[in-house]
Each structure stands twice: as structure tokens, then as C-alpha cells.
Amino acid sequence: MSNDKDSFNVGDLTAALKDEDRAGLVNALKNKLQNLAGQHSDVLENLTPKIRRRVEVLREIQGKHDEIEAKFREERAALEAKYQKLYQPLYTKRYDIVNGATEVEGAQEDVKMDQGDEKSAEEKGVPSFWLTALKNNDVISEEITERDEGALMYLKDIKWCKIEEPKGFKLEFFFDQNPYFKNTLLTKAYHMIDEDEPLLEKAIGTEIDWYPGKCLTQKILKKKPKKGAKNAKPITKTEDCESFFNFFNPPQVPDDDEDIDEDRAEELQNLMEQDYDIGSTIREKIIPHAVSWFTGEAIEGDEFDIDNDDEDDDDIDEDEDEDEEDDEDEEEDDDEDEEEEEVSKTKKKPSILHKKGGRPQVNDGQQGERPPECKQQ
């Protein structure tokens, strides 16, 4: 969902998203396309007959191109499905090693060498594997608070699969039994109107069944009573707070147009874009390259590409020019140094502008038990 495309603006997005009926969404898109077609016909009428004929031939060429592109998308989908099946045995082996269900060759000898260290001898698998992998990605790490880390240490596996009706994909987070919530499976599904655009219809997450006093998405504030008040007990107040687990409660658009204004619609769109960015990052980067994110090797490839290096070189040249000018005035130098520090901090923040269910619990609390395959629906 791009803001610079005339084919679908914020108003159209709001009108489409508020309607749960998929047929209504399709009709909204058709109406928009028909309106655009009407605009294009006006353009053709203003052309001379010769130029109009040339444009008509160009449109025929475009139609043939679209037919080839449709075939490409169909074959690409089949190829992706083929290789997803080939990946599955590797993901199963990764799961077994990470969760201590199987031991790798040579590890037993290492255990014997660590006999003096009882903690090392008792550890199985790779502790905090997924927590570390998630924290090493800039997009995901901004969502993880210190309070979240205790719960994410119980994360055993993350899977994804395509869903057909409606189109989209689903993420599955498998947790060991833990003191924070009762769920052993949390899911997040993205329903797309158009996967190739991509155009998001809505996102649905699992409702987390928190244990009393363990909810990480809310915090309890205690306020001392005023002096002389009859009730001497502290006043408690609950309010929402930042947490990675807010990911499972995605932003929703009101059903009634009157409940939302243009500013709120834009805010919701930004929230949905950020939410989709997190989901697609987990799907496209974390799951297939988890060990590289765990070790930190994936960070270099993700952040320090050629384009960024060129931008950094330009920044260095600008800084050197500014330093030469600043030598003439120390006070201006101090002010500009502060500004450069603020700019530097801003650059470190990752860009999170991209497009943007309840599920039966799975009894997979035992460490060696594999989560079920995420099958295509």
C-alpha cells in the first residue's frame, strides 16, 4: 500500500477495510478501476486519430505483457510452494537441535569436558535461540521490551504458511509451557486483497490467555491517596504499555465511517504498515535465516549494503566541509555538533514503512515434541 499511488488512497483504503464482506471489497476495487478507466477514456478522446491509434496498439502490447506476467506469477507461486516443501525437513532438524530433542555429533565429548561446570552440562539445545535472533533484527528489536524477554525465552519455534481463502499468510509461534500465559500456540494471520500489490485487508491475532498479574501488554500503576482521604488504600490503575505481544492484537478499523476522521485514518494506515512490516520481516528474514540472526552474521548483510555505504561516504564528506568552516567559530561548532549527534541517532532507527487468529491450542509443552506442520489451507 503505497501513498504515492493514485489507484488507492487513504479514503479508499478506509472504505474497503471497514467492510468485512469480501465481496464488498472486490466491488469497491472494481468501482475504483471503472472510475480510472473513465478518466483514461477522456484522455484518448482528446488525442488526434493517428496518435489514438498508436496508443491503442500500445495497449494491445500491454495486454500481451499482462498475460505473460500472469503466467509468471502462476509459475512463481508453484515454484515457491515446491521449495517450501524442500525447506521443511531442514526446519525440523533445526527445531530438534534448538530444543534439545536431538544431539549433534561431537557434542557429547564437549559435555564430558564441561563436567566441572554443572550449568553447562545441564543445558540442552540452544537457550534463548529465537529471542536472540529476534533482538538482533532492528525492526523486531524495537518492539521487544525488557519485560518481554522472560516470556520470549520460552519460544520454541516460528513457522509460516500461505493461506488461500482469503489470500495471505499466517505466522505461528510455538511456546513451551511458561508462567506468563496458557497458550502454547500464538498465531498472526494477514488477509490480503492482492498479494502482488500487496494490499492488506486485515490482520488477525490470537487472544493471549494471560496468567493473573502476568500480562505484559498492560502495567498497573499505584497512586497514593491524598492526605486526609477517608480511604487510605493506594489507588490502582491499569493502562496499556509497549510490548512485543501487542503484535497479536493488531490495529482494527472502525466499521462506522463517522467513527474515524482523515487524521485517524492516516494514523491507522501507518500502524497497519508497521504491523505488516514486522510480520513480513519475520516471514522473509527471521524464519529462513534464524541462525544467522542468532549469531549476528545477518546484521551486516541487512544494514551495510552498497547504497548505505555511499550515503555514509557523502555524510563524511559533508562533515569534513562543516568542520573546516566551524574552525572559524567555536560556538557554532558546538551547536552543529549537537545537531549532528541528533541526526546520527535518527539514522540508526530502522525505517518501518511497508505495506501491510484465534487457533486451537497445541499441547506441545514437552521439550522434545515437535510442533505440527503449518499446512496450506
Side-chain angles (χ1 to χ4, degrees):
M1 293 186 298
S2 177
N3 289 339
D4 59 353
K5 291 189 177 181
D6 294 331
S7 60
F8 208 83
N9 58 29
V10 175
D12 297 322
L13 175 66
T14 304
L17 290 176
K18 75 181 184 61
D19 192 353
E20 295 293 329
D21 184 6
R22 190 166 181 79
L25 292 167
V26 174
N27 289 333
L29 287 172
K30 287 182 177 179
N31 291 335
K32 185 64 180 178
L33 292 174
Q34 289 173 357
N35 292 336
L36 291 173
Q39 295 174 9
H40 296 159
S41 63
D42 293 339
V43 172
L44 291 175
E45 290 176 359
N46 294 328
L47 299 176
T48 63
K50 286 184 178 180
I51 296 177
R52 189 185 311 155
R53 176 56 187 158
R54 293 167 189 156
V55 173
E56 289 294 346
V57 173
L58 291 175
R59 293 177 70 186
E60 291 175 5
I61 295 173
Q62 181 66 51
K64 294 178 180 179
H65 174 279
D66 293 344
E67 291 177 3
I68 296 174
E69 185 177 23
K71 186 176 180 181
F72 159 71
R73 290 178 177 177
E74 182 180 345
E75 293 182 0
R76 181 182 64 183
L79 194 63
E80 288 176 349
K82 172 186 174 181
Y83 279 90
Q84 279 302 319
K85 290 181 179 179
L86 296 177
Y87 294 145
Q88 294 311 312
L90 303 179
Y91 293 154
T92 299
K93 289 182 180 179
R94 180 176 70 187
Y95 171 87
D96 289 341
I97 294 172
V98 167
N99 293 286
T102 187
E103 193 53 275
V104 299
E105 186 177 350
Q108 292 295 342
E109 286 74 10
D110 295 336
V111 171
K112 292 178 182 179
M113 294 176 62
D114 292 334
Q115 288 293 341
D117 188 348
E118 294 182 2
K119 182 179 179 181
S120 297
E122 292 177 358
E123 284 182 338
K124 292 183 178 180
V126 185
S128 302
F129 177 82
W130 289 102
L131 168 61
T132 305
L134 292 170
K135 286 180 63 180
N136 280 336
N137 179 276
D138 279 346
V139 174
I140 312 300
S141 64
E142 288 213 342
E143 308 301 315
I144 299 175
T145 68
E146 188 175 347
R147 296 172 71 223
D148 294 329
E149 294 186 15
L152 289 173
M153 288 178 66
Y154 292 90
L155 183 56
K156 300 169 62 177
D157 201 10
I158 309 176
K159 290 177 174 285
W160 80 272
C161 62
K162 293 188 72 172
I163 51 179
E164 297 298 332
E165 290 297 335
K167 291 284 187 180
F169 68 93
K170 179 171 64 175
L171 298 171
E172 295 187 333
F173 298 75
F174 296 87
F175 283 85
D176 205 346
Q177 293 180 351
N178 63 83
Y180 294 90
F181 46 81
K182 298 177 182 179
N183 314 65
T184 52
L185 174 65
L186 300 179
T187 66
K188 180 68 171 289
Y190 291 92
H191 295 175
M192 315 299 295
I193 297 174
D194 185 350
E195 287 185 287
D196 296 303
E197 187 62 24
L199 186 59
L200 180 69
E201 177 184 343
K202 62 181 176 181
I204 301 174
T206 299
E207 182 177 353
I208 302 177
D209 190 5
W210 298 100
Y211 286 114
K214 295 293 185 178
C215 180
L216 297 173
T217 60
Q218 292 183 333
K219 59 183 178 181
I220 299 175
L221 303 178
K222 291 185 178 181
K223 185 179 180 181
K224 293 182 179 180
K226 296 181 180 179
K227 291 183 178 180
K230 296 180 179 180
N231 188 0
K233 293 182 179 180
I235 301 173
T236 58
K237 181 182 178 182
T238 302
E239 67 177 30
D240 296 336
C241 63
E242 293 183 356
S243 171
F244 170 80
F245 292 93
N246 287 322
F247 176 66
F248 299 98
N249 184 25
Q252 301 296 326
V253 178
D255 291 337
D256 194 343
D257 278 334
E258 297 179 358
D259 293 341
I260 185 171
D261 55 24
E262 186 174 344
D263 292 338
R264 178 56 179 160
E266 184 175 356
E267 180 185 357
L268 282 172
Q269 182 182 351
N270 291 335
L271 289 173
M272 294 181 74
E273 288 175 345
Q274 179 177 344
D275 179 75
Y276 182 85
D277 191 25
I278 296 169
S280 60
T281 297
I282 294 173
R283 167 190 169 178
E284 298 169 6
K285 294 185 177 182
I286 303 298
I287 294 177
H289 308 291
V291 69
S292 297
W293 287 106
F294 174 81
T295 62
E297 295 169 288
I299 298 175
E300 290 188 16
D302 196 56
E303 294 183 351
F304 302 105
D305 55 23
I306 296 175
D307 292 336
N308 287 344
D309 288 341
D310 291 341
E311 291 175 5
D312 291 342
D313 291 340
D314 293 338
D315 291 340
I316 292 172
D317 293 338
E318 292 174 6
D319 290 343
E320 290 176 352
D321 293 337
E322 289 176 3
D323 288 340
E324 292 177 0
E325 296 174 2
D326 293 339
D327 288 337
E328 299 174 3
D329 192 338
E330 292 183 358
E331 293 181 359
E332 290 181 3
D333 181 64
D334 292 337
D335 294 338
E336 291 185 14
D337 282 346
E338 292 178 0
E339 293 176 2
E340 289 175 6
E341 288 178 7
E342 293 178 358
V343 171
S344 177
K345 291 178 181 178
T346 303
K347 288 182 179 178
K348 291 180 182 178
K349 294 182 180 179
S351 174
I352 48 177
L353 283 179
H354 252 283
K355 290 79 170 178
K356 320 240 185 287
R359 170 136 178 164
Q361 297 182 12
V362 179
N363 185 13
D364 62 337
Q366 296 181 357
Q367 193 170 19
E369 187 178 350
R370 295 194 189 99
E373 295 296 333
C374 185
K375 299 179 181 178
Q376 292 190 9
Q377 298 180 2

